[in-house]
Amino acid sequence: MKVPLWVSALAGTLLVQTVCAFASISVPILGPLLMERAGLLPESIGLVSALSSAGICWFLASGGPMLSHFGPIRTLQIGMASMALGMLALASPFGAVGLLGAVAIGFGNGPNTPAGSQILIRSAPPAHRTLIFSIKQAGVPLGGALAGLLSAPFVVAHGVLAALVMLVLVLLACCLIVQPLRATLEEERGPAAHGWARALVQPAEMVRCVGALRAHPTLPMLTALGASYSVMQACLTSFTATFVYARYGLSLTEAGQVVAVMLCASMVGRIALGWLADRMGHALRHLGLQAIASAMSVVLLVIAGGHAAWTLYVCAALVGFTAIGWNGVHIAELARLAPLHLVSSVTSAASLFGFVGSVCGPLVFMAVVAWGGGFEAAFHVMAAQLAFLGAITLLRRPA
């Protein structure tokens, strides 16, 4: 029996998403040993993370012609090869080489959203499109969970160099596994963009990419809401462990378990909310309601999470389900609203703004804490901005 095209497309993009998340999230887990090997302070891993995010933004802003030239599957393969080279650079004892490797890792991680969207929008049945996009996006927390479970024990048993080699081999193996999909999933490629290399260093390409958001009147609002979600998600993933450790007196192990529950719930949430959005229709309205529910769950975590051990885990699961379970619905709606030939450009531009929010959100959070508001006030500010954008979204007429 012939496998439906959308099944192959989903399996391939989910595998790549999971492997890339596994590799990229393993880097901060290996951080202390990597920084020690490079002769840098342990906190320098923050610079590695920042440069990796910059690499993602670089591809999202300027990689559209590259995607058009090579096609989505080949671009994903090039991305994983770039991540593998970045991992090898991190193994260098010279700090500057490792920092360049961080940029390569981010650049290689960048194609997942636009290339995956281009593949799935052509093959996913419309009645189940949001669910399929959400399953693909569930690869991010799945890869993160695998990194937490596997990378740390591996590096303890075999050392940091062996761990980096393991990550390189996993990435290259995934490149080979998805190679057969090129024959079926790249049949409808557009004309090659021969100026793709120059576009990587031309600011005009970034302007063109962002300009794609004018293709539909709802796209700017949808992008703003996605950036607001990204701000909230970045703060949750960055500060939840520290918050519950300091506020509720948990051990570091227990704080890590709380975060693990939150991320596992987000994986379930991405799939369940994708299914629900397909049933409801009007995904923008769904995202607006979810934004308000997310803000309420964050407030609940802050004010009620410490009443008992079970309430903290329940609140963390609720936060993960709502506030980190939005991504698949959001990307599916971006792809639905965009003209078919602009799907990768629109998702790239919207994701670019999302990553800017991921950088700015924690900085604002830290500023609120530093000004004396504490973690509680900072979480309330982040919840308020998300609820505000959600309310504005609900006032718009559905597209």
Side-chain angles (χ1 to χ4, degrees), residues 68-86:
S68 297
H69 182 80
F70 290 105
I73 297 296
R74 178 63 80 199
T75 302
L76 289 173
Q77 291 175 308
I78 293 172
M80 287 185 285
S82 175
M83 294 184 73
L85 288 174

Side-chain angles (χ1 to χ4, degrees), residues 36-351:
E36 179 182 348
R37 177 176 174 78
L40 300 173
L41 295 174
E43 56 268 27
S44 299
I45 191 64
L47 183 57
V48 173
S49 297
L51 288 173
S52 181
S53 295
I56 293 175
C57 291
W58 180 19
F59 182 90
L60 292 175
S62 305
M66 180 179 176
L67 178 56
S68 297
H69 182 80
F70 290 105
I73 297 296
R74 178 63 80 199
T75 302
L76 289 173
Q77 291 175 308
I78 293 172
M80 287 185 285
S82 175
M83 294 184 73
L85 288 174
M87 295 292 173
L88 292 177
L90 285 179
S92 169
F94 302 104
V97 176
L99 295 179
L100 289 175
V103 177
I105 290 171
F107 185 85
N109 205 16
N112 280 294
T113 295
S117 299
Q118 184 174 320
I119 293 168
L120 292 179
I121 196 64
R122 293 181 179 275
S123 59
H128 304 291
R129 180 184 295 135
T130 307
L131 174 60
I132 289 170
F133 271 78
S134 297
I135 293 173
K136 181 258 186 185
Q137 288 303 120
V140 176
L142 175 59
L146 291 174
L149 292 172
L150 301 178
S151 294
F154 191 94
V155 74
V156 169
H158 303 287
V160 66
L161 288 179
L164 290 171
V165 170
M166 178 270 291
L167 294 173
V168 169
L169 293 177
V170 169
L171 287 163
L172 295 181
C174 188
C175 286
L176 295 176
I177 291 172
V178 300
Q179 172 63 23
L181 298 179
R182 293 193 68 214
T184 54
L185 298 180
E186 292 190 352
E187 289 181 338
E188 299 183 31
R189 283 176 54 187
H194 297 292
W196 65 270
R198 291 192 304 272
L200 293 176
V201 293
Q202 289 178 341
E205 179 57 30
M206 181 184 298
V207 175
R208 187 204 64 78
C209 177
V210 173
L213 294 175
R214 297 196 299 266
H216 191 282
T218 303
L219 287 174
M221 183 69 248
L222 187 60
T223 299
L225 182 60
S228 179
Y229 268 113
S230 295
V231 166
M232 185 76 262
Q233 179 173 321
C235 291
L236 286 168
T237 55
S238 298
F239 298 109
T240 297
T242 302
F243 170 68
V244 298
Y245 172 80
R247 175 68 173 82
Y248 299 134
L250 272 65
S251 68
L252 288 177
T253 300
E254 290 170 330
Q257 291 171 348
V258 171
V259 173
V261 168
M262 184 174 69
L263 291 176
C264 288
S266 77
M267 183 167 57
V268 176
R270 292 184 185 210
I271 297 173
L273 292 170
W275 176 86
L276 181 61
D278 278 331
R279 305 284 77 75
M280 288 177 55
H282 302 309
L284 187 62
R285 177 178 173 82
H286 171 98
L287 286 168
L289 290 171
Q290 187 178 335
I292 295 174
S294 299
M296 294 173 62
S297 68
V298 171
V299 172
L300 189 63
L301 174 68
V302 172
I303 65 176
H307 286 183
W310 69 268
T311 62
L312 180 57
Y313 286 101
V314 169
C315 290
L318 184 61
V319 166
F321 190 92
T322 56
I324 314 183
W326 60 279
N327 196 262
V329 178
H330 182 254
I331 292 178
E333 185 66 357
L334 287 169
R336 184 186 73 85
L337 295 177
L340 188 58
H341 68 287
L342 289 178
V343 167
S344 60
S345 295
V346 166
T347 53
S348 291
S351 297

